[in-house]
């Protein structure tokens, strides 16, 4: 078990969200989409230029930019 | 009597499909007052009554951060609908209910339409509807919007439950916040603080969420209480920060999801398959967003969209051109020469033709783009291109507007500007719609073709490629400059759903396309016709005075003096080949007088006077008065540059498709050379968009500030570029 940044996760890797570091609009947007502490996520893929990243959560897929992923810390195996 | 209800829910939950199913063709698309968010309303009428339905913008939450959310919220608060019909995607229950909770907290009666039951079933999701309804204490009706299944039952449930008084839902946000909320309610309730619009606990909650709209409203309502509330929030926030290292907004979101989760866990939902297993959609994505295949497929799709918009709309466009050509011809024959005829042909027929000429383009563009949007491919395009466009302060979805506007030479900025509607980030959208007019639309091409044929005939393809590249680089750099100055600010968070691929319904596509096209004709059409007449007047008045008209008459008389009546009649009526050599020469001389007169009239017109008076400045960029007038005319439509240049060089109105005579003339003309030509090409790329585009920018931004900016800024930019190019070029050549 270790805690890494969402940006550092590999494609197909799964993990549990440990904390969200952002506040204000970005933090609200992240949480509104269900990215909250304790949720399981799986990195689904990356865009051709490696950014943005797409991930799977609660049965749907969402995408976010790497600099937004920086605010999300994930516990991985 | 009718019942006012709203449809609300997440994007991609099938809200619009259900709206179309319920209202059919009986809908009206407009805007919410003062903003550019689309407002759709319609009616549903059966034996149980008549319902006025408003389709609220799709949102994930009810914060004050995005325009859509503020609009949705304001509508609920100010219009006080009898019921919120909340569309919930059954295959995506948890996230959808997060929004439902927020509706229920507002204290407005909610009825849940549990949509996409078929999709949920296919994914092995089973939902206990009765239990869900009982736990949430709201009616829940299963629906399949695509086929209209369940809509009757839904409306029965609405009729039975609307107007009921409901208690706002109370979610527990943990001891600290709950206690603070209670304290705040005690301050709010007796003072009637904002209670006309908001329920007390909701106001308190919004204070905790740092909701600027509510906080501002509170300051105006009652400064003392507002201050007290802010103090409570601050104290609690400090406490939470020191004990839990958390902010109230975060805790509130966590608890809302926690509330939803606690309900689902009580046996409401069961998964028969792994929730995160690879769906067909994900398998398609493995190919479609693949590092190598993805961009190739995207290029093909963009080419396809372009072809679809401009090639297939060719037939109706040609048809319309023929109709208006015929109408102009008819007016030419029936009306006596003079101002009325000129107004009829150049002002009104061309004006109406100008409005309608864009209609097929707009229809095909909206059809193509809504297809891409509804299938879910549009989101994939943003996904792949975001990295590139973000560098310039734009958004992945900007690409389509650029392509349609002429990113592949030959598009049109009018549908291009409208295509920015798919962009939900306001700053990125504004920067996109201000820079798409730099693309090489179909109307600029005749101008380029004329100049390239005259001065760069040996390297045609290369120069055309260079022109395309200059417009792309220019547009992106300007976008970047705008985003660092006038539209400055952090980029809007990109976090977006990648919805599963779906086959769009034909009904949905058609309703969407026809509504928008009709909106263009109604709203933009009238303004465009007005400006068209104004431009006609600028190019026509004041006309030549009597003395000068007499001069031309005198010239004509001199040419025809001494000729027999028979010869004069022959010249007027016979074909050229049956005329004698002498008669032909006379005819040509007469024609030359006509052309010289047209040229003199143009030079004397308002547009001509503007063109002549600024020649002193524009000659530093290589432009003489003839070019200036042509560029003023180009504000009507860029291809008018060619026809006006023809008149200014005494060649009569030159058909933009047949420019050989004009390009030969320019080659021989003093002051014209490759340098002047390229300077004019640069100016044409960058200067003010044509007025149809300007009107569309006004419509899309909801004010005249940005269209005015784009006329002035683009023209100054273009002139600066041409000036620098011409001056530097003059040193070397």
């Amino acid at each position: 078990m270790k805690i890494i940044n969402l940006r550092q996760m590999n494609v197909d890797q799964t993990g549990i969200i440990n904390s969200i570091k952002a506040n204000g609009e970005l933090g609200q947007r992240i949480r509104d989409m269900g990215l909250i502490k304790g949720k399981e996520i799986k990195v689904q893929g990356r865009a051709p230029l490696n950014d943005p990243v797409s991930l799977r959560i609660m049965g749907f897929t969402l995408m976010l930019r790497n600099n937004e992923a920086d605010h999300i810390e994930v516990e991985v195996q | 009597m009718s019942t006012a209800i709203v449809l609300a829910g997440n994007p991609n939950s099938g809200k619009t499909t259900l709206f179309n199913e319920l209202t059919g063709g009986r809908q009206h698309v407009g805007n919410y007052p003062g903003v550019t968010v689309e407002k759709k309303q319609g009616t549903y009428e059966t034996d149980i009554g008549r319902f006025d339905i408003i389709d609220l913008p799709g949102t994930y939450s009810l914060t004050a951060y995005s325009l859509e959310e503020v609009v949705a919220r304001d509508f609920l608060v100010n219009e006080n609908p009898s019921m919120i019909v909340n569309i919930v995607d059954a295959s995506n229950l948890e996230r959808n209910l997060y929004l439902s909770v927020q509706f229920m907290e507002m204290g407005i009666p909610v009825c849940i339409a549990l949509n996409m039951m078929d999709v949920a079933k296919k994914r092995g999701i089973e939902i206990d509807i009765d239990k869900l309804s009982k736990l949430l204490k709201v009616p829940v009706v299963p629906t399949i919007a695509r086929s209209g299944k369940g809509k009757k039952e839904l409306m029965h449930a609405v009729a039975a439950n609307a107007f009921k008084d409901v208690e706002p839902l109370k979610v527990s946000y943990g001891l600290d916040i709950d206690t603070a909320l209670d304290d705040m309610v005690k301050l709010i309730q007796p003072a009637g603080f904002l209670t006309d619009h908001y329920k007390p606990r909701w106001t308190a909650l919004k204070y905790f969420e740092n909701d600027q709209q509510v906080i501002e409203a509170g300051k105006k309502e009652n400064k003392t209480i507002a201050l007290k509330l802010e103090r409570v929030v601050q104290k609690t926030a400090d406490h939470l920060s020191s004990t839990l290292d958390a902010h109230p907004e975060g805790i509130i979101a966590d608890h809302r999801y926690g509330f939803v989760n606690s309900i689902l866990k009580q046996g409401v939902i069961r998964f028969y398959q792994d929730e995160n297993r690879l769906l067909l959609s994900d398998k398609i994505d493995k190919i479609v967003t693949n590092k190598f295949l993805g961009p190739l497929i995207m290029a093909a799709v963009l080419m396809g969209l372009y072809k679809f918009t401009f090639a297939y709309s060719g037939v109706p466009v040609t048809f319309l051109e023929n109709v208006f050509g015929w109408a102009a011809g008819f007016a030419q024959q029936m009306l006596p020469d003079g101002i009325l005829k000129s107004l009829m042909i150049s002002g009104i027929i061309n004006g109406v033709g100008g409005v309608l000429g864009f209609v097929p383009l707009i229809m095909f563009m909206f059809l193509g783009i809504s297809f891409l949007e509804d299938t879910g491919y549009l989101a994939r395009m943003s996904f792949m291109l975001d990295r590139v466009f973000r560098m310039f302060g734009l958004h992945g979805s900007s690409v389509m507007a650029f392509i349609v506007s002429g990113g592949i030479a030959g598009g049109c900025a009018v549908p291009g500007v409208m295509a920015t509607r798919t962009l939900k980030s306001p700053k990125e959208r504004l920067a996109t719609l201000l820079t798409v007019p730099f693309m090489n639309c179909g109307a600029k091409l005749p101008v380029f073709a004329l100049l390239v044929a005259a001065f760069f005939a040996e390297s045609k393809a290369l120069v055309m490629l260079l022109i395309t590249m200059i417009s792309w680089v220019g547009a992106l750099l300007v976008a970047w400059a705008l985003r660092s100055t006038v539209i400055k600010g952090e980029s809007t968070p990109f976090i977006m759903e990648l919805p599963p691929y779906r086959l769009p319904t034909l009904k949905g596509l058609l309703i969407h396309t026809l509504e928008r096209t009709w909106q263009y004709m109604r709203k933009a059409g009238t303004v465009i016709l007005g400006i068209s007449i104004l431009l006609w007047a600028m190019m026509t008045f004041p006309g030549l005075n009597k003395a000068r008209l007499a001069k031309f008459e005198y010239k004509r008389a001199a040419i025809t003096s001494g000729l027999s009546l028979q010869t004069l009649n022959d010249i007027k009526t016979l074909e050229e080949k049956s005329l004698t050599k002498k008669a032909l020469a006379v005819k040509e001389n007469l024609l030359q007088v006509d052309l010289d007169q047209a040229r003199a009239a143009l030079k004397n017109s308002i547009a001509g006077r503007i063109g002549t008076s600024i020649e002193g400045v524009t000659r530093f960029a290589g432009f003489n008065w003839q070019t200036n007038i042509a560029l003023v005319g180009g504000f009507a439509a860029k291809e008018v540059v060619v026809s006006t240049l023809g008149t200014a060089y005494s060649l009569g109105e030159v058909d933009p498709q047949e420019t050989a005579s004009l390009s030969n003339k320019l080659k021989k003309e003093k002051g014209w050379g490759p340098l002047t030509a390229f300077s004019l090409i640069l100016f044409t790329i960058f200067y003010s968009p044509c007025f149809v585009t300007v009107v569309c920018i006004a419509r899309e931004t909801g004010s005249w500030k940005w269209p005015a900016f784009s006329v002035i800024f683009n023209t100054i930019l273009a002139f600066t570029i041409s000036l620098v190019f011409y001056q530097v070029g003059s040193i070397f050549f």
Side-chain angles (χ1 to χ4, degrees):
Chain A
M1 287 290 195
K2 59 177 178 179
I3 290 168
I4 60 170
N5 206 292
L6 174 55
R7 185 201 278 261
Q8 295 157 319
M9 284 175 76
N10 299 318
V11 172
D12 285 339
Q13 194 177 14
T14 54
I16 310 257
I17 296 177
N18 185 271
S19 66
I20 308 290
K21 296 290 176 204
N23 287 304
E25 180 177 5
L26 181 59
Q28 189 73 48
R29 288 271 162 266
I30 289 175
R31 292 183 179 99
D32 284 345
M33 295 303 277
L35 293 164
I36 54 169
K37 189 179 158 121
K39 289 275 177 217
E40 190 186 82
I41 57 168
K42 179 184 164 205
V43 174
Q44 190 98 335
R46 285 181 183 280
L49 293 170
N50 250 340
D51 184 16
V53 57
S54 71
L55 47 90
R56 190 115 184 125
I57 177 168
M58 299 190 296
F60 72 97
T61 311
L62 62 81
M63 55 177 163
L64 68 170
R65 291 171 176 159
N66 276 341
N67 58 11
E68 293 162 346
D70 282 341
H71 300 277
I72 301 168
E73 290 188 340
V74 186
E75 194 178 293
V76 294
Q77 291 290 338
Chain B
M1 203 196 110
S2 63
T3 314
I5 59 171
V6 300
L7 293 192
N10 281 185
N12 307 310
S13 60
K15 195 167 57 65
T16 304
T17 314
L18 183 64
F19 179 75
N20 289 341
E21 246 339 293
L22 288 173
T23 61
R26 298 173 303 280
Q27 46 175 283
H28 170 80
V29 185
N31 281 350
Y32 287 93
V35 292
T36 50
V37 178
E38 220 166 64
K39 178 182 183 182
K40 283 197 258 178
Q41 41 194 340
T43 50
Y44 175 78
E45 213 166 352
T46 54
D47 45 332
I48 52 167
R50 184 188 146 100
F51 298 88
D52 290 328
I53 308 177
I54 303 276
D55 186 20
L56 284 191
T59 64
Y60 295 106
S61 186
L62 286 179
T63 65
Y65 289 120
S66 84
L67 205 54
E68 278 81 11
E69 294 180 35
V70 171
V71 161
R73 224 168 73 175
D74 283 352
F75 189 87
L76 292 176
V77 168
N78 298 329
E79 306 292 319
N80 219 356
S82 313
M83 179 154 251
I84 300 174
V85 177
N86 178 201
I87 325 297
V88 165
D89 176 359
S91 65
N92 203 341
L93 200 53
E94 199 169 347
R95 198 201 63 214
N96 276 255
L97 287 179
Y98 175 78
L99 179 67
S100 312
V101 167
Q102 298 187 50
F103 288 134
M104 293 188 303
E105 283 183 304
M106 291 183 83
I108 301 170
V110 172
C111 174
I112 287 181
L114 196 56
N115 196 26
M116 303 207 198
M117 288 301 287
D118 49 338
V119 182
K121 203 169 169 190
K122 252 190 231 155
R123 292 205 198 153
I125 300 170
E126 198 186 80
I127 298 165
D128 186 337
I129 293 167
D130 291 336
K131 201 170 229 173
L132 180 64
S133 171
K134 217 158 71 226
L135 290 171
L136 286 175
K137 298 189 191 81
V138 300
V140 179
V141 183
T143 59
I144 301 172
R146 289 177 69 95
S147 61
K149 218 172 148 187
K151 77 174 174 190
K152 273 199 188 131
E153 292 80 354
L154 175 70
M155 295 315 283
H156 273 283
V158 170
N161 291 285
F163 299 110
K164 276 191 186 166
D165 260 336
V166 292
E167 268 300 299
L169 171 73
K170 267 182 157 178
V171 176
S172 167
Y173 293 106
L175 190 62
D176 293 318
I177 293 184
D178 280 351
T179 316
L181 286 176
D182 287 343
D183 291 345
M184 289 163 81
V185 169
K186 275 180 209 146
L187 286 168
I188 293 167
Q189 194 87 38
F193 180 80
L194 295 176
T195 47
D196 286 350
H197 289 315
Y198 310 129
K199 297 274 189 290
R201 194 167 188 266
W202 194 82
T203 307
L205 207 50
K206 286 291 148 185
Y207 264 84
F208 264 112
E209 287 183 294
N210 193 21
D211 187 302
Q212 288 309 316
Q213 198 200 13
V214 171
I215 292 175
E216 285 303 316
K219 266 186 203 150
K220 272 193 206 132
E221 171 102 358
N222 185 333
K223 266 217 168 113
T224 351
I225 294 192
L227 213 65
K228 279 185 190 162
L229 294 176
E230 280 172 40
R231 233 176 274 143
V232 177
V233 169
Q234 191 56 50
K235 211 178 100 194
T236 318
D238 289 345
H239 178 68
L240 288 170
S241 160
S242 63
T243 53
L244 296 171
D245 187 27
H247 283 263
E249 309 123 80
I251 294 176
I252 289 171
D254 287 358
H255 277 80
R256 275 193 189 128
Y257 267 112
F259 176 80
V260 171
N261 203 263
S262 74
I263 283 180
L264 297 183
K265 268 196 186 144
Q266 296 177 51
V268 168
I269 194 165
R270 231 172 284 156
F271 297 100
Y272 289 102
Q273 290 164 19
D274 175 14
E275 193 187 4
N276 286 333
R277 97 197 147 94
L278 277 193
L279 304 168
L280 177 65
S281 232
D282 304 317
K283 287 175 194 155
I284 298 174
D285 267 342
K286 290 261 177 234
I287 301 165
V288 167
T289 62
N290 175 279
K291 273 194 169 51
F292 306 103
L293 281 175
L296 287 177
I297 294 172
M298 183 165 51
V301 169
L302 285 173
M303 269 312 265
L305 173 72
Y306 180 83
K307 272 254 152 34
F308 178 75
T309 308
F310 294 102
Y312 294 127
S313 63
V315 177
V317 167
T318 318
F319 171 75
L320 282 174
E321 272 172 5
N322 288 339
V323 168
F324 284 98
W326 177 84
F330 185 71
Q332 181 80 34
Q333 281 188 357
M334 297 308 285
L335 294 170
D337 280 337
I339 291 295
L340 180 69
K341 181 178 185 170
S342 170
L343 169 69
M344 211 45 210
I345 295 175
S346 304
I348 296 174
I349 295 180
N350 282 350
V352 175
V355 172
L356 293 182
F358 289 104
V359 167
L361 283 184
I362 289 170
M363 276 179 63
F364 277 78
M365 184 275 298
F366 273 127
L367 200 57
I369 288 183
S370 28
F371 180 80
L372 291 183
E373 195 176 12
D374 291 358
T375 50
Y377 188 72
L378 195 60
R380 272 74 188 180
M381 254 161 57
S382 320
F383 178 64
M384 285 186 279
L385 278 172
D386 185 66
R387 189 70 196 86
V388 181
F389 279 85
R390 196 174 87 212
M391 293 195 289
F392 303 100
L394 299 171
H395 187 282
S397 306
S398 304
V399 66
M400 247 179 357
F402 280 103
I403 296 291
V404 171
S405 298
I408 304 171
C412 176
V414 172
V417 165
M418 293 185 176
T420 60
R421 282 187 201 176
T422 51
L423 272 156
K424 293 281 175 259
S425 322
K427 289 182 206 122
E428 288 83 346
R429 174 167 184 262
L430 188 55
T432 307
L433 68 81
L434 288 177
T435 48
V436 292
F438 295 137
M439 295 289 119
N440 293 322
C441 69
K444 289 180 191 172
L445 291 182
V447 185
F448 299 148
L450 164 76
L451 296 168
V452 169
F455 301 100
F456 308 101
E458 321 79 62
S459 42
K460 241 182 187 156
L462 195 71
V463 175
M464 285 312 270
L465 181 70
L466 185 67
I467 291 173
T468 304
M469 279 167 50
I470 290 173
S471 59
W472 267 101
V473 171
L476 291 176
L477 286 180
V478 171
W480 173 82
L482 291 175
R483 287 286 281 117
S484 336
T485 54
V486 271
I487 328 175
K488 195 157 58 180
E490 279 288 298
S491 58
T492 319
F494 181 71
I495 309 160
M496 291 201 302
E497 189 179 359
L498 273 171
Y501 288 104
R502 280 182 196 134
L503 204 62
T505 61
L506 190 63
K507 189 175 177 183
L509 288 181
L510 289 181
I511 289 181
H512 184 93
T513 305
L514 292 177
E515 275 300 337
R516 280 247 163 168
T517 312
W518 174 232
Q519 221 185 348
Y520 159 80
M521 282 163 64
R522 216 170 19 142
K523 295 283 174 60
T526 44
V527 185
I528 291 167
L529 182 60
I531 299 180
S532 166
I533 292 173
L534 192 75
L535 277 174
W536 163 81
M538 274 180 71
M539 310 274 281
T540 309
F541 292 106
L544 295 172
N545 60 24
K546 275 201 181 116
R548 295 189 63 188
L549 277 177
K551 229 184 209 169
F552 284 107
E553 281 311 318
Y554 177 76
K555 268 191 195 164
R556 286 198 185 91
I559 294 169
T560 52
S561 71
L563 291 174
S564 69
L565 266 175
Q566 177 63 38
T567 324
L568 282 176
N569 212 26
D570 284 354
I571 290 170
K572 268 187 200 149
T573 52
L574 289 179
E575 303 249 334
E576 278 184 21
K577 48 184 186 261
S578 36
L579 285 174
T580 60
K581 235 182 183 174
K582 193 179 154 210
L584 198 61
V586 171
K587 185 173 179 143
E588 272 168 12
N589 284 340
L590 280 176
L591 190 65
Q592 195 52 53
V593 176
D594 285 350
L595 295 176
D596 286 340
Q597 186 180 345
R599 168 190 154 114
L602 180 63
K603 193 176 180 184
N604 191 48
S605 69
I606 302 169
R609 289 174 191 202
I610 295 173
T612 324
S613 66
I614 56 174
E615 193 182 26
V617 181
T618 59
R619 68 190 169 85
F620 293 108
F623 306 152
N624 53 20
W625 67 264
Q626 287 96 330
T627 311
N628 290 346
I629 300 179
L631 288 170
V632 172
F635 183 59
K638 296 290 159 77
E639 74 262 25
V640 173
V641 171
V642 174
S643 55
T644 313
L645 211 50
T647 309
Y649 277 108
S650 292
L651 291 170
E653 280 197 19
V654 169
D655 180 353
Q657 308 304 328
E658 302 284 338
T659 54
S661 61
L662 183 56
S663 89
N664 282 332
K665 176 102 181 174
L666 290 184
K667 260 194 261 185
K668 288 178 227 140
E669 206 52 43
K670 195 164 71 72
W672 278 91
L675 201 59
T676 318
F678 206 77
S679 174
L680 182 56
I681 287 175
L682 287 173
F683 193 83
T684 308
I685 295 175
F686 290 103
Y687 92 109
S688 166
C690 69
F691 76 84
V692 185
T693 308
V694 172
V695 172
C696 288
I697 294 178
R699 298 273 325 131
E700 296 299 319
T701 56
S703 85
W704 283 96
K705 187 177 91 181
W706 290 111
F709 172 83
S710 103
V711 170
I712 297 165
F713 170 80
N714 291 12
T715 306
I716 294 174
L717 174 77
F719 186 69
T720 315
I721 293 174
S722 293
L723 181 76
V724 171
F725 171 81
Y726 190 77
Q727 289 303 320
V728 173
S730 306
I731 301 168
F732 294 103
F733 299 105

